[in-house]
């Protein structure tokens, strides 16, 4: 009976904790929505201004891979590069356009993502054209998975199973979750920077541009009263600021990997050293043995000159008969 009461109390306690966390999340979400809805519509000029600046910065971000594709064109190969960032970028642009069309009053969201679709499609065409057979097949599979199946199912299901404003709400949540996943992706880069103490793989200009873009779109969503745009960009500029701080912390530090490479080279130099030949101390005994061997050869070949290869000194010794 005591055990039963204890287990019942534990179960009730866990349910209470779960309810508390869920209630807290819902409370924060509702408060965020309330703040956004209060601000919404009161500053239309600010919404337009931030949306316009967001278009400009995002356009520059879309153009940032051009040096990469110039290298691909010069080398006629995509080795060392992957297509998934451009597939994800194309999928994201298509998703946001679909959301903007359902929502209405989001023309600046449509303009930049229309440009994004054209640019990302161009990148993918170049990638597939120059990619080796294996990379080409993987890229086509990703395109089929994200664009044809993924986006196609979202459009089909929302058109068939939902109606009216509910359709826009569902697509908005899909956009929000996907945007959060995209913004969480740089965590791997942050971990690498902290582990190696190197910012080699953190392009600071692109990081600054992405952070500025997130700030612009956050305020655009805030003044427009759209939390599906505002909330994920909050995470975006937060991670962007963290990356910028890490860059200035580690930019002048010696990478850990350099120390390991130096240590490895030192070990390899010791391994590559030629083995030391032991010093011969009893040279008289060696001379006696060598002379006996030469006399034996001369006895077997009494005519001419005998060429003997000594296994010790590895030279040819000419001995007159």
């Amino acid at each position: 009976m005591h055990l039963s009461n204890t287990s019942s109390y534990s179960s009730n306690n866990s349910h209470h904790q779960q309810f508390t966390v869920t209630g807290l999340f819902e409370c924060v979400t509702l408060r965020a929505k309330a703040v956004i809805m209060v601000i919404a519509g009161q500053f239309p000029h600010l919404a337009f201004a931030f949306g316009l600046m967001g278009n400009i910065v995002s356009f520059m971000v879309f153009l940032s891979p051009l040096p990469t594709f110039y290298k691909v064109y010069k080398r006629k190969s995509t080795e060392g590069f992957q297509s998934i960032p451009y597939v994800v970028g194309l999928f994201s642009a298509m998703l946001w356009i679909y959301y903007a069309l359902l929502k209405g009053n989001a023309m600046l969201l449509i303009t930049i993502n229309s440009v994004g679709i054209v640019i990302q499609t161009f990148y993918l065409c170049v990638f597939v054209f120059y990619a080796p057979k294996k990379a080409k097949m993987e890229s086509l599979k990703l395109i089929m998975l994200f664009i044809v199946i993924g986006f196609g199912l979202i459009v089909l299901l929302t058109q068939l199973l939902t109606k009216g404003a509910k359709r826009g709400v569902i697509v908005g949540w899909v956009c929000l979750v996907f945007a959060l996943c995209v913004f969480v992706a740089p965590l791997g880069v942050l971990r690498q920077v902290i582990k190696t103490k190197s910012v080699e793989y953190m392009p600071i200009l692109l990081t600054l541009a992405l952070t500025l873009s997130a700030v612009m779109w956050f305020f655009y969503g805030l003044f427009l009263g759209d939390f599906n745009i505002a909330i994920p960009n909050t995470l975006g500029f937060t991670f962007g600021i963290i990356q910028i701080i890490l860059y200035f912390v580690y930019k002048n530090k010696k990478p850990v990997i350099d120390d390991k490479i130096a240590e490895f080279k030192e070990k390899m130099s010791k391994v590559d050293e030629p083995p030391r030949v032991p010093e011969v101390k009893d040279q008289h005994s060696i001379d006696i043995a060598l002379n006996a061997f030469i006399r034996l050869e001369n006895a077997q070949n009494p005519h001419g000159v005998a060429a003997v290869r000594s296994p010790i000194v590895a030279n040819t010794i000419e001995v007159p008969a």
Side-chain angles (χ1 to χ4, degrees), residues 57 61 203-214 240 243-244 248:
V57 177
V61 172
I204 186 61
L205 292 178
L206 181 59
T207 302
L208 287 170
L210 289 171
T211 305
L212 186 60
S213 175
Q243 289 184 66
I244 293 169
F248 286 104

Side-chain angles (χ1 to χ4, degrees), residues 87 137-152:
V87 176
M137 294 305 298
E138 289 178 355
S139 300
L140 292 175
K141 287 178 182 177
L142 286 172
I143 293 171
M144 183 67 67
L145 178 65
F146 278 90
I147 309 303
V148 179
I149 298 175
F151 184 73

Side-chain angles (χ1 to χ4, degrees), residues 75-274:
R75 296 191 308 181
K76 311 296 182 188
S77 173
T78 60
E79 291 183 6
F81 301 107
Q82 294 182 339
S83 62
I84 190 165
Y86 315 108
V87 176
V88 170
L90 178 59
F91 176 74
S92 177
M94 294 172 68
L95 204 58
W96 281 110
I97 284 184
Y98 182 47
Y99 172 70
L101 290 172
L102 292 174
K103 174 184 171 56
N105 191 28
M107 183 55 64
L108 292 173
L109 203 60
I110 295 174
T111 54
I112 187 58
N113 284 290
S114 299
V115 173
I117 286 176
V118 174
I119 295 175
Q120 300 292 357
T121 302
F122 169 74
Y123 291 154
L124 284 171
C125 289
V126 174
F127 189 95
V128 171
F129 184 78
Y130 288 111
K133 186 176 180 180
K134 184 178 179 181
K136 187 176 297 186
M137 294 305 298
E138 289 178 355
S139 300
L140 292 175
K141 287 178 182 177
L142 286 172
I143 293 171
M144 183 67 67
L145 178 65
F146 278 90
I147 309 303
V148 179
I149 298 175
F151 184 73
L153 280 176
I154 290 171
V155 173
L156 185 64
L157 292 176
T158 51
Q159 290 294 326
L160 293 178
L161 303 179
T162 59
K163 294 181 181 180
K166 190 176 180 181
R167 186 180 296 158
V169 172
I170 292 174
V171 176
W173 275 101
V174 173
C175 290
L176 190 150
V177 172
F178 185 74
L180 288 176
C181 293
V182 170
F183 282 125
V184 168
L187 287 178
V189 177
L190 298 181
R191 180 177 175 274
Q192 186 180 16
V193 169
I194 295 171
K195 185 177 180 181
T196 62
K197 296 182 180 179
S198 171
V199 293
E200 181 181 0
Y201 298 103
M202 183 191 288
I204 186 61
L205 292 178
L206 181 59
T207 302
L208 287 170
L210 289 171
T211 305
L212 186 60
S213 175
V215 171
M216 297 303 168
W217 288 113
F218 166 74
F219 283 109
Y220 174 75
L222 182 67
F223 291 124
L224 199 65
D226 193 329
F227 71 93
N228 291 321
I229 300 173
I231 290 176
N233 282 289
T234 305
L235 195 64
F237 71 69
T238 301
F239 283 144
I241 291 171
I242 293 173
Q243 289 184 66
I244 293 169
I245 293 172
L246 285 177
Y247 179 85
F248 286 104
V249 168
Y250 289 110
K251 71 171 184 175
N252 294 323
K253 289 195 175 183
K254 188 177 181 182
V256 174
I257 192 169
D258 289 351
D259 296 335
K260 292 183 179 180
I261 290 174
E263 184 180 350
F264 176 75
K265 285 182 178 180
E266 185 180 353
K267 289 181 179 179
M268 290 303 296
S269 64
K270 291 180 180 179
V271 172
D272 292 339
E273 287 181 0

